[in-house]
Amino acid sequence: MMPEVRLQKVLARSGVCSRRKAEAVISAGRVTVNGELTQQLGVKVDPRCDEVAVDGKTVAIAPHEHWV
């Protein structure tokens, strides 16, 4: 089971922008989660089932892998 992660982290992992820049993008009202606009920082999403979009374009959320 994959835990929910902060939206900023998802945007950074997907290569959209850095975490700091993601905060500005979210605050500017450019991000939707499951079709709902979000401007609140700290929102958590489930990368397996939530759809994240920036400026109307869906963000491809890559699974995070750990190698040991």
Side-chain angles (χ1 to χ4, degrees), residues 16-59:
V16 173
C17 55
S18 68
R19 285 192 204 180
R20 297 266 189 242
K21 179 71 176 173
E23 292 175 357
V25 171
I26 294 166
S27 296
R30 296 173 52 195
V31 180
T32 58
V33 177
N34 298 325
E36 298 289 325
L37 179 69
T38 184
Q39 289 181 281
Q40 182 178 2
L41 299 177
V43 171
K44 292 194 176 188
V45 295
D46 185 341
R48 295 171 298 151
C49 60
D50 288 330
E51 181 180 303
V52 177
V54 177
D55 296 331
K57 295 181 183 179
T58 303
V59 173

